[in-house]
Amino acid sequence: MSDDLSADALYYHRNPKPGKLEIQATKPLANQRDLALAYSPGVAAACREIVRDPREAATVTARANLVAVISNGTAVLGLGDIGPLAAKPVMEGKAVLFKKFAGIDVFDLEVSEKNPEKLIDIIASLEPTFGAINLEDIKSPECFIIEQRLKERMNIPVFHDDQHGTAICVGAAVLNALRLQNKQIDQVKLVTSGAGAAALACLDLLVNLGIAKENIIITDSLGVVYQGRSEHMDPFKAQYAVDTPHRTLGEALTGADIFLGLSVAGVLKPEMLDNMVEEPLILALANPVPEIMPEEARKVRPKAIIATGRSDYPNQVNNVLCFPFIFRGALDVGATQINQEMRLACVRALADLVTTDKTNMASADASEVLANAYAGQELEFGADYIIPKPFDPRLIAVVPPVVAKAAMDSGVATRPIKDFESYNQWLAQFMFRSANVTKGIFIRARENPQRLIFSEGEDPRVIRAVQVLIDEGCAKPILVGRHKIISQRIKQLRLHIRPDVDFRLIDPQNYDRHAQLAELYHDLMGRRGVWPAEADVLVRSNTTILASLLLHLGEADALLAGPVGSFAEHLKNGLNLIGLRDDVSSAAAMQMLILDEGTYFVLDTSVTYEPTAQQLAEMTIMAANEVMRLGITPKVALVSHSNFGSSDTPSALKMRQALHLIHQMMPDLECDGEMQTDSALIESIRNRLYPKSPLRGSANLLVMPNQDAASITFNALKALANGVSVGPILLGMKQSYHILSRVVTTRGVVNLSILAAVDAQSLKEGSR
């Protein structure tokens, strides 16, 4: 490890507080009532429920989502037997990965015990606390015995990740490499360097996948494991002893298709590769330095497929591809173990995820996240991409369902999943935090798909979003853009949508209705200084104008302008060609912000710089109705520097007047103001200042006095609280017209598209 990396790693671990994780409460504890519910006397109800039915522990405690990561520190990474205390940073790291990638809570337990029997007793006694056990960094061969004995004694999953996590990732890499090489798994010859827990677990799984046991040769520090050898042997290693004249790794590699290294740096010499086939698979997985560096291997075998455990080379075999997601699936069905069927299901899911077949694409918008995380890398199934990347967001959507299904099919699930569609939607929240909030409007959009026209159809984010909308059956997309460019980008993005088959494509360079649309544009804008010749040029050159005219004519139900161009310019076109509803005096833009604490809405972030009290009242009513359309009860706070009349500045007076108008226009709306932001969000502060406020709990719709306040508040919350935004949601337009921001992601395009579709539905139903 370089000095710079060591220093950075120590700083990372020490700041801003020591370690990498903390425990947080999931329920409020703000008053005496909360205390009575959380502890005495209320907690007794939960205890009695578990006594009545032990399965209820999964509903009234965190046990069903709690994993123990346990080590005695006898085989830590490449550091060896460094003891349990020094192993703690690794176990904390494992805990962080569980939480980050799969939302699983972890207690890391470093146990000072090397005696296998005593360690087994200690771990087995912990069963009431945990939903599963992840054994980590326990040396071989004790790890085999410990895991097997614990599986026999415990009724929850016990998984030694060093063995099985590595095996699953290796299995996926082998399957895909053999696909590329057109080799049959039962015909290949495999040689290992290393005969520890990970190597033997890999071999066991590969045999289950179809590799013939007689085609496997193991080598360790003493050479080939052959029949009759007695030195440094154990029953686990002996099962792979073969009758062979070979005694060294180099000799054993004669005619080998696969090298599997789980040993030490540099053990595979370049000249040894001369003995292998012309197109071998080299899995050099020693860390941090592999058995052979990829560039050295390619000098001898340029057609080799090479994988390592390092992140700076293609095909990183990393257990994080597996363990968070196999545990997620196991916990979600209350599995009593993680069996071979579940491990094999995980292998095949990982292998299938990187293929180009459209049935294996979990999400087109997820691919954008992946591309951004690995910018500059070619992520197309091939020699440099045979297994998923650790930050592939599709893993959480793909692996847990197949693992859960395998647990159910093999009879080890105690809480079988009855509705996999709902389960998949629940998992989507880990991939996209907006999924839970937008679930209801996705369902509505599918019930009656609308014609959505995208004025910037060449943008990759829009094209990816269209793939998602078509796959989900949520819309009938219309793209405005050059046919050649859109077709090229679909191919580059490896999507399977087809222009003029799956979606309508309007090519401005080859469109026979320009004259008709130019005349319509002149009809609408002729008295605003637009000449006929200018109208013709604008319709041909401005795709937002073209799309707006088609929306005006009723040839689309909703329009998504942007993300190219400014919000103000797109809004100007929308106001000119679509116009406002008859009952409003101005449009408004509302941003939805999804935080860990909940979902909040901020108004008005983009349209009216300094709204009047009347405009604020109109905006608030429109925003409240939109929040209700999302299935959320609006709780409105008119935000100010003033708290309930503490100041008589023009801004405070305006908010007071707006509140009066809102109460007249929508008397049942839970709304109050003017108040400061902390009063809006924290009920206890509000009650001290004005206990008679009709607003209860935390406000979720914050109405700002002007655009500065709205934009500053929204962007500060988004940045500081790691928020996910949906919007801007344009309110007040006569037809469903929305504007994508320049920094929108593909998921953002999808979300705003769904909102636009439901907006169009409401217009047709007369409910907006």
Side-chain angles (χ1 to χ4, degrees), residues 208-393:
N208 271 273
L209 287 169
I211 290 186
K213 203 167 185 179
E214 59 269 22
N215 291 344
I216 294 172
I217 297 179
I218 300 179
T219 69
D220 60 11
S221 59
L222 296 183
V224 172
V225 175
Y226 58 88
Q227 287 183 1
R229 191 182 116 174
S230 57
E231 301 163 281
H232 287 100
M233 293 293 288
D234 59 61
F236 307 101
K237 191 188 301 185
Q239 64 177 315
Y240 286 101
V242 291
D243 183 9
T244 176
H246 301 317
R247 293 295 181 266
T248 66
L249 174 60
E251 293 171 356
L253 284 169
T254 302
D257 299 276
I258 302 172
F259 169 80
L260 173 59
L262 287 155
S263 56
V264 295
V267 71
L268 180 62
K269 307 302 181 186
E271 58 269 21
M272 294 180 183
L273 299 182
D274 282 327
N275 295 333
M276 298 188 73
V277 299
E278 284 295 318
E279 299 182 20
L281 168 60
I282 300 171
L283 299 162
L285 306 182
N287 251 331
V289 182
E291 286 80 1
I292 189 170
M293 297 301 290
E295 53 269 24
E296 294 179 359
R298 291 207 183 278
K299 290 178 183 178
V300 183
R301 285 291 182 264
K303 294 183 180 179
I305 296 175
I306 304 171
T308 71
R310 293 171 57 127
S311 60
D312 54 345
Y313 287 98
N315 299 324
Q316 183 190 17
V317 176
N318 190 323
N319 289 14
V320 76
L321 295 175
C322 158
F323 70 81
F325 313 109
I326 199 167
F327 271 91
R328 179 76 275 159
L331 290 169
D332 292 339
V333 293
T336 57
Q337 60 178 281
I338 295 175
N339 58 25
Q340 193 72 324
E341 291 87 346
M342 296 160 73
R343 292 194 287 270
L344 291 172
C346 187
V347 169
R348 294 188 175 99
L350 292 177
D352 289 343
L353 191 58
V354 299
T355 67
T356 55
D357 187 279
K358 68 179 183 180
T359 59
N360 293 319
M361 295 185 62
S363 175
D365 48 347
S367 67
E368 179 190 44
V369 179
L370 183 60
N372 290 339
Y374 298 95
Q377 298 184 34
E378 184 61 40
L379 300 181
E380 183 172 1
F381 181 45
D384 288 338
Y385 184 47
I386 58 172
I387 50 175
K389 296 286 189 178
F391 283 94
D392 192 328

Side-chain angles (χ1 to χ4, degrees), residues 708-767:
D708 279 342
S711 181
I712 291 167
T713 301
F714 165 71
N715 285 295
L717 284 173
K718 182 182 177 184
L720 294 175
N722 190 29
V724 174
S725 64
V726 178
I729 304 168
L730 191 58
L731 308 170
M733 300 297 290
K734 188 174 291 184
Q735 292 178 267
S736 182
Y737 184 100
H738 293 274
I739 302 168
L740 299 163
S741 74
R742 290 172 171 173
V743 296
V744 71
T745 63
T746 295
R747 175 48 50 165
V749 178
V750 171
N751 287 336
L752 197 56
S753 299
I754 297 302
L755 284 168
V758 173
D759 190 19
Q761 288 178 0
S762 298
L763 279 165
K764 291 180 179 179
E765 296 163 359
S767 60

Side-chain angles (χ1 to χ4, degrees), residues 580-599:
L580 295 171
R581 284 165 32 189
D582 295 336
D583 60 333
V584 299
S585 60
S586 66
M590 178 175 69
Q591 286 279 9
M592 178 165 72
L593 192 58
I594 302 168
L595 308 177
D596 291 339
E597 294 79 11
T599 301

Side-chain angles (χ1 to χ4, degrees), residues 231 415 540 756:
E231 301 163 281
R415 298 190 306 275
R540 291 179 183 277

